[in-house]
Amino acid sequence: FLTFDGQLKWDHQNITYRVQNYSPDLTPEVIEDAFARAFAVWSAVTPLTFTRLSHGPADIVIQFGTKEHGDGYPFDGPDGLLAHAFPPGPGIQGDAHFDDDEHWTLGKGEVVYTRFGTAEGAACHFPFTFSGRRYEACTSDGREDGLPWCATTPDYDQDGLFGFCPSELVYTLDGNAAGSPCVFPFVFEGRSYSSCTTDGRSDGYRWCATTDSFDRDRTYGFCPNRASAVTGGNSAGEPCAFPFTFLGRSFAACTAEGRSDGRLWCATTHDYDRHRKWGFCPDTGYSLFLVAAHEFGHALGLDHTTVREALMFPMYSYTEGPPLHADDVEGIQFLYGPRTEPDPRPPTAPPTGRPPAPPTDRPTAPPAGHPPAPPTGRPTAPPTGRPAPPSPADDVCSVSVFDALADIGGRLHFFKDGRLWRASPRGRGPVEGPWLLSDVWPALPPRLDAAFEDPLTKNIFFFSGGQYWVYAGRTALGPWRLEKLGLGSTVQRVTGLVQRKAGKALLFSGEHYWRMDIKSQSVNRGAPLPVEELFSGVPLEAHNVFLYKGNIHFCRDQFYWRVTPRGQVDRVGYVTFDIAQCP
Amino acid sequence: APRGGPGPTLVLFPGDQSRNRTDRELAEEYLVRFGYRLPGEMQDGGPGQAMGPALRRLQKQLALPETGELDPATVAAIKAPRCGVPDLGN
């Protein structure tokens, strides 16, 4: 990752932002939601919070604009430059600008959200049937007022759910008319207009009056782009007019005729030869969420990275997964540190998939309190002791940073201050426990640094400070000093053991690792190797390393970095939320 | 081989911003815009060999093979949609 020269960053954590205007491509609600989610990407891994202001000065001012839009860094029409942002600071610094010549979507093509009607703002469902006919786009059929509408389920006749599609006849954006619809015809500078116009403006935005005379009342708003509106050309925002005539031929769909670049276009009147009004047909568009998350990275102090998979790589690419790469997380945490508090918990029940577990429901005594038998029947692998008495510390979700995690008996075990929990057999149900460590493995101290089960012998290694133990069945061996493994006296603790092949493992301690023969309990002679040489992109200060479901996990604070068998970090997340499946 | 009739009719669309520019013209503009080259460098040595070091910087930054040439991968990269913040410099 890279930061800007001078490591520009905000000197406070409660960042404010204001959305100055909206793109006609999406409804304001969808735009606001995309921005809020983009900020949440960064607040999830930092102590930063983001608050939207409706007016007044804000740290980050967000603006849509085209071409030269006031800052000396003009946009370039469709495609090419999508957006830009300024590093943290006063004034224009920290602001984010989006090129409104782009087709802004959520990355997968046009999503038409409705207003009013009976669908409470749901998106159109295309195709839908109405009076037995199939519709692929918004229609004004069935209405006398010409308002475009759509069904939000496949069958309007059956469900009756509908809403109005974006249209200047339904609402306007920004302006000074509080979203009132256009009034046609209206008079502007003595001329009558019966549709939205760009006259009187240099930025190309389409507008209308919301009374019959702008000259008299001066109330106006910007026209939202209708569904299936074209981009570029000389009619941006207008819908295609099918069928249209071009070079004497009739076209009922977008075409690449007449062009050498293969781009699809359509006319926005029924006769191109006569009116010459045209634009490019809408495509999948660019995800406002992803581009905003990238630009907000700049607004927080991150420069472009050379890691192609990272969000802060300069080129746009669409992804449905979490947008942050380990490189992004390291970069932003370099500036602001990691998140220090868990996400706020809603007061209502947790989402389905993890049943609520009030304290009174906790098992407190046998027989119900006995943990289920281990899957292998082996007496020592999983816990067999009695559950600990309930207390606030019993909730695995209240633990921010675990002492150690380890896959034992095919189930992930979570260790913290003398307690342990274990994941459900397939890792899909709620975590079970806690149990007292002293009940299960009595020889161990309450605070562990690492644990490891040798898949070959099923012996379990436990590490704490400068000592380690080995449990073979119910028999505890040790403790021994770490020097017995061949580690130098400077090694204060072991942070993890990961099996590489039968009988061999990697032993981690801080920024170094050793190759270890498990049977002889000895590491290779020679200097330890730096972790970063074998595992790029993982935190050097990892305090726990373990293998789970075939991937190596490096834990630092409440986060984990997951490394695939091919050595790539493919995920960074919260231990509690992602691995312990806390709500 | 087909002799072919008249080719497809190409039309000059009003307001079409997609001017026909050569890949080299696009690359030169890209190198300056995103900080790989200063505008003054454009004249140094003519438009040819002087692009090599700047192209290498670009290719390194964009995780492309560092050929120093305006190869297809580099041309595709400079035509791809992207953020307007310069990659190098302020």
Side-chain angles (χ1 to χ4, degrees), chain A residues 130-166:
Chain A
F130 165 56
S131 292
R133 204 179 138 194
R134 177 186 162 104
Y135 289 82
E136 297 276 0
C138 299
T139 179
S140 57
D141 287 359
R143 300 192 62 87
E144 293 179 351
D145 53 15
L147 297 183
W149 68 277
C150 69
T152 58
T153 64
D155 191 342
Y156 174 79
D157 300 330
Q158 179 181 309
D159 303 320
L161 290 174
F162 82 103
F164 292 100
C165 299

Side-chain angles (χ1 to χ4, degrees), chain B residues 27-85:
Chain B
E28 287 178 346
E29 184 182 316
Y30 193 100
L31 292 173
V32 172
R33 181 190 286 271
F34 296 109
Y36 297 100
R37 207 178 190 196
L38 294 172
E41 290 180 65
M42 300 290 287
Q43 288 89 38
D44 295 348
Q49 298 175 345
M51 273 180 84
L55 281 175
R56 276 189 197 280
R57 285 196 289 272
L58 176 149
Q59 288 159 343
K60 182 176 184 183
Q61 179 74 19
L62 302 185
L64 298 168
E66 295 177 42
T67 63
E69 301 289 329
L70 196 54
D71 51 41
T74 307
V75 171
I78 66 176
K79 290 181 178 176
R82 58 159 292 160
C83 171
V85 173

Side-chain angles (χ1 to χ4, degrees), chain A residues 549-561:
Chain A
K549 292 183 177 176
N551 299 310
I552 302 177
H553 295 67
F554 290 78
C555 295
R556 190 181 75 187
D557 302 325
Q558 63 266 57
F559 304 103
Y560 70 92
W561 281 250

Side-chain angles (χ1 to χ4, degrees), chain A residues 5 67 77-78 80-83 85 234 246 258-259 265 272 276 278 286 294-295 298 304 306 308 313-316, chain B residues 9-18 30 33-34 60-64 77 80-87 90:
Chain A
D5 285 351
K67 313 285 172 34
L81 305 184
L82 306 181
N234 58 5
F246 173 59
R259 299 191 64 85
W265 69 278
Y272 175 84
R276 294 168 61 79
W278 71 285
Y286 296 111
H294 174 101
E295 298 307 330
H298 288 313
H304 283 148
T306 59
R308 182 173 283 276
F313 192 68
M315 329 296 278
Y316 172 87
Chain B
T9 307
L10 298 182
V11 170
L12 183 62
F13 287 85
D16 194 351
Q17 297 168 345
S18 47
Y30 193 100
R33 181 190 286 271
F34 296 109
K60 182 176 184 183
Q61 179 74 19
L62 302 185
L64 298 168
R82 58 159 292 160
C83 171
V85 173
D87 296 331
N90 292 302

Side-chain angles (χ1 to χ4, degrees), chain A residues 210-269:
Chain A
T210 55
T211 68
D212 61 2
S213 175
F214 178 81
D215 295 343
R216 184 188 65 228
D217 301 319
R218 320 291 292 181
T219 63
Y220 76 103
F222 294 98
C223 301
N225 285 349
R226 291 206 176 200
S228 303
V230 300
T231 59
N234 58 5
S235 309
E238 301 281 350
C240 295
F242 298 122
F244 64 89
T245 304
F246 173 59
L247 299 179
R249 283 171 57 201
S250 181
F251 290 82
C254 296
T255 178
E257 291 278 328
R259 299 191 64 85
S260 60
D261 57 8
R263 297 184 70 180
L264 294 173
W265 69 278
C266 70
T268 55
T269 71

Side-chain angles (χ1 to χ4, degrees), chain A residues 337-419:
Chain A
R339 184 176 170 79
T340 51
E341 296 173 3
D343 284 338
R345 303 285 170 78
T348 53
T352 54
R354 186 172 193 277
T360 51
D361 286 344
R362 288 187 180 283
T364 54
H370 275 298
T376 61
R378 294 182 71 252
T380 59
T384 55
R386 233 176 7 185
S391 83
D394 287 348
D395 187 355
V396 71
C397 297
S398 71
V399 178
S400 178
V401 181
F402 290 95
D403 295 338
L405 291 96
D407 185 349
I408 299 173
R411 296 167 75 164
L412 192 63
H413 286 56
F414 303 75
F415 298 89
K416 179 68 175 179
D417 291 339
R419 294 167 189 268

